[in-house]
Amino acid sequence: MKTPYVKEKCFPIFILVLMSILFPPSILASYDNISIEDITIIVMPEYTNHPHANNDEPTVLVGYHGTIVNQSSESISQGIELTLPVNKKNFFIGLAAHTLDGTKESLQEIEVQMKKNSNKVTIMPDEPIDPGQGYKFVIEYYYHDINHTGNKKNFTYEYVADNNMDAINIIFFEPLGASDFAIQPTTDQHSQDTMGINMYLYEVIQLTAGEKKVFDVSYEKKDNETTTSKIDEITPNNNNSVLIQTISSNNGGLSTNTIIAIVVISLIFLFTIMLLIFQKKKHKERESEIKATNRQQDKKKLRNMLANGEIDEQTYRKKMSELS
């Protein structure tokens, strides 16, 4: 009588093991439980050379900065899937890191996995994300996608939202030495630093999951020399750059990399001010829209309650006047 019992006991265990093999636990966090927020994307054509490909071909460098927010009631340690142009020619991730304190001086590199057939990458957090907490990250990637005929060059940048978003910021850097730089759609938000680097800011609002935004970039440039190499040619004695003169006289000859880092930080500072202004403006507009929508929904609810006999006409009129 013992053997049937053992068989009875083992059979459900066998089923559980088989199911765990056929249907393993998800290694990806669900977008029902997380959101990607505070996204800033910096698109830099011909800013620097591709680290692992033919440098005769102009390169696009993209910096993707964001915050993963845990919207659930439990800690999340699974991978987070992002849509990136993995299928672009010579796509290469140069950096994937957890930004510990929001600055590039404190980065903890993290694992990233690519899915070439689906234009997806999975970043693996180096620590669990607690409920309600944010996890700042940065991904920098390179690819070849710039078409060129003579001096005329163009490429298309596409962003695909992984979840519903209130707003994202996209900044395009114009290559040094370029002319007739144009982006479609256009923007009236433009800035320039002391070294002549032009920047164009877009704030894209109210995106739904899967929505795509497309930017067509075109310009003229007679060579493939990168912005960083052009900066490298500028000496501390060059009177064309007030910024470099100031750095040199105050700090006794900093390296080119340090100069570039300071330039980039100064650009980010300028855009931070612009972003704060835009975010406050958009936040007020969104608050007004939400209040107006809520009033309409409340009025509709009162009309249904009156029609269903849940409230009398006197109560209905009183409530409606309060919403006006």
Side-chain angles (χ1 to χ4, degrees), residues 21-171:
I21 294 172
L22 295 176
F23 307 101
S26 175
I27 60 170
L28 295 177
S30 168
Y31 273 94
D32 293 333
N33 299 324
I34 63 169
S35 61
I36 311 294
E37 301 176 3
D38 302 326
I39 293 177
T40 296
I41 296 171
I42 303 174
V43 183
M44 297 172 280
E46 298 195 66
Y47 185 77
T48 188
N49 286 322
H50 194 295
H52 297 292
N54 182 7
N55 290 331
D56 292 331
E57 190 169 355
T59 299
V60 179
L61 170 62
V62 178
Y64 185 129
H65 307 254
T67 302
I68 301 163
V69 179
N70 183 353
Q71 305 287 3
S72 73
S73 58
E74 297 180 0
S75 293
I76 289 175
S77 56
Q78 299 109 310
I80 290 89
E81 199 170 66
L82 301 173
T83 303
L84 294 182
V86 177
N87 290 330
K88 292 287 187 181
K89 182 180 178 182
N90 293 325
F91 179 88
F92 173 77
I93 295 177
L95 173 69
H98 175 197
T99 312
L100 301 180
D101 62 356
T103 67
K104 198 162 183 174
E105 284 73 33
S106 299
L107 297 176
Q108 178 66 49
E109 289 197 32
I110 56 178
E111 180 187 351
V112 60
Q113 301 169 355
M114 290 192 294
K115 296 181 180 178
K116 285 200 170 184
N117 294 330
S118 61
N119 266 340
K120 299 286 186 181
V121 302
T122 302
I123 58 175
M124 307 299 295
D126 60 328
E127 61 185 35
I129 308 172
D130 293 329
Q133 296 301 304
Y135 181 92
K136 293 183 178 181
F137 70 94
V138 57
I139 299 177
E140 293 181 358
Y141 58 90
Y142 305 77
Y143 60 90
H144 286 147
D145 194 44
I146 300 177
N147 305 306
H148 48 98
T149 304
N151 294 342
K152 296 183 181 297
K153 301 184 180 184
N154 66 83
F155 71 97
T156 298
Y157 173 75
E158 296 181 353
Y159 172 77
V160 180
D162 287 297
N163 61 283
N164 296 336
M165 298 176 187
D166 288 336
I168 66 168
N169 303 297
I170 303 178
I171 303 169

